[in-house]
Amino acid sequence: MKAIVGTLVVIGTLLGGYLPHGSFGILIQPLEVVIICGGALGAYIIANPGWVVKAGFSGGLGLVKPAPHDKEMFMEALGLMFKLFNKARREGLMSIEADVEDPHSSELFNGAPKVAADHHAVDFICDYLRLMISGASNPYQLEDLMILELDGHHHEAMMPSAAVGKVSEALPAFGIVAAVLGIIVTMSYLDAGPMEIAHHMSVALVGTFLGILVAYGFIAPISSELANRAELEGAFFNVLKTCLIANLNGYAPQVAVEFGRKAIPSHDRPSFQELDEFLQSQK
C-alpha cells in the first residue's frame, strides 16, 4: 500500500503542476518509453545473474504488499523458539528431532505460519538445531558459523537492490540517448515550418524528462525499499541467531527468547509484557 500511495503522489503532483501550463498529449511518447526502458532492461539483464534479474522483478512487484518481517512475524518466531526450547528442556534434545527433520509436518512450526512460510528461516532454525542434536555444543564455533552464513545471506539479499539501483543510475543516460535520437529525427524536418520543428524538439526533450522521472521517481525508490526489506530480513535472522546461541549457552527458554526480543529493531520490538502474555498463550 505504501508503494502505491507513493506512486500516486509522484504522478499526481507531477501532473498537477504541469497540466495547468502544458499539454498532456505531448508527454505520451510510446517510442521514447521503448528506447529508454528497453535499453535499461537490456542492460539490467546483461549485467546480472539470472536469479538476481528474477529477484529484482519479483521483489519490485512484491512492494505492493506489506513487508513480511513485521512485528507479528517477530512474535511468531519468538513463540516458536520458546516452544522448541521448552520441549527440548523438558524431554531432551532428541524430542525435537522429528520437528527438525520434517518441519512442515511439525505442530510447533505450523503454529507459526508466517515463519513456516519462509523456507530460509525454517532451514536456518532446523540446520542449527540439527547440529545441536548431533552434539555440536560449542557456542563460539556455532556463532562463528552463523555469522559466516548470515553474512553470505545478507550479501545475496542486497544484490537485487544494488542491481535495481544501477538501473536507476543509468536511466537518465538512456533518456539522453532518446533525446539525441529525437534531435537526429528533428534534423530531417529542418525544411518544415517552425511549429513542426518545435513539436519534434519537444518530443526529443520528453525523452530526457522520462529518463529522469523513471529513475528518481520510481526505480531509485524501489531499490531503496528492497534494501530496507533486506536489512529487516537480516535483523530477523539475527534474532533467530541470538535465541539459538542463548539457548546453547544454557539459559532457560524464557530468558533465551528475551535475548532475542532485545535484538528486534525498536519499531517492531514487543514490550516485555506483550511477549510474556504471548508466550503464556502458547503454552
Side-chain angles (χ1 to χ4, degrees):
M1 180 59 69
K2 181 169 69 75
I4 295 174
V5 171
T7 300
L8 292 176
V9 169
V10 170
I11 296 173
T13 53
L14 176 77
L15 295 180
Y18 170 76
L19 288 180
H21 307 287
S23 168
F24 178 68
I26 194 66
L27 299 180
I28 303 175
Q29 301 297 334
L31 295 181
E32 298 283 319
V33 173
V34 169
I35 293 170
I36 297 166
C37 296
L41 174 62
Y44 175 66
I45 293 172
I46 293 169
N48 298 288
W51 71 268
V52 174
V53 173
K54 182 179 178 181
F57 278 112
S58 61
L61 294 174
L63 295 185
V64 298
K65 302 177 182 178
H69 299 92
D70 54 9
K71 184 175 181 178
E72 182 182 351
M73 188 170 183
F74 280 110
M75 291 279 278
E76 275 193 11
L78 293 179
L80 172 62
M81 303 305 277
F82 175 77
K83 289 187 286 187
L84 287 167
F85 298 158
N86 217 21
K87 184 177 180 180
R89 190 180 183 88
R90 290 196 320 264
E91 305 172 26
L93 266 177
M94 294 303 296
S95 67
I96 62 172
E97 185 177 20
D99 298 292
V100 169
E101 293 302 329
D102 189 9
H104 300 296
S105 301
S106 165
E107 183 180 341
L108 299 185
F109 278 92
N110 289 329
K114 281 196 167 187
V115 179
D118 186 337
H119 72 91
H120 291 299
V122 172
D123 289 346
F124 183 83
I125 295 168
C126 292
D127 285 349
Y128 286 100
L129 287 176
R130 190 179 293 112
L131 282 172
M132 293 178 193
I133 293 170
S134 301
S137 58
N138 187 315
Y140 300 106
Q141 291 179 341
L142 277 183
E143 184 171 18
D144 286 344
L145 183 59
M146 289 180 186
I147 291 172
L148 181 65
E149 179 179 353
L150 293 183
D151 282 348
H153 180 81
H154 185 65
H155 174 72
E156 290 182 2
M158 292 295 290
M159 286 180 69
S161 167
V164 173
K166 291 293 184 182
V167 173
S168 72
E169 295 173 6
L171 274 166
F174 280 108
I176 294 172
V177 169
V180 170
L181 291 175
I183 295 297
I184 292 172
V185 171
T186 301
M187 292 298 101
S188 64
Y189 287 88
L190 288 181
D191 57 347
M195 293 303 296
E196 183 75 13
I197 295 173
H199 172 76
H200 288 288
M201 287 293 293
S202 298
V203 171
L205 291 174
V206 167
T208 303
F209 159 74
L210 289 176
I212 296 172
L213 171 64
V214 174
Y216 298 113
F218 303 106
I219 305 302
I222 288 173
S223 173
S224 295
E225 181 60 14
L226 289 176
N228 293 338
R229 295 196 177 194
E231 292 288 353
L232 192 56
E233 183 185 31
F236 177 76
F237 277 96
N238 190 50
V239 169
L240 300 180
K241 175 180 79 72
T242 303
C243 290
L244 289 166
I245 293 300
N247 178 72
L248 191 58
N249 276 312
Y251 288 100
Q254 182 89 30
V255 179
V257 297
E258 174 61 17
F259 275 49
R261 184 186 75 85
K262 299 298 286 184
I264 297 175
S266 59
H267 49 82
D268 285 317
R269 184 188 304 150
S271 68
F272 178 86
Q273 187 66 31
E274 282 180 295
L275 177 60
D276 184 61
E277 292 175 358
F278 180 76
L279 295 181
Q280 292 301 322
S281 70
Q282 299 296 296
K283 291 182 178 179

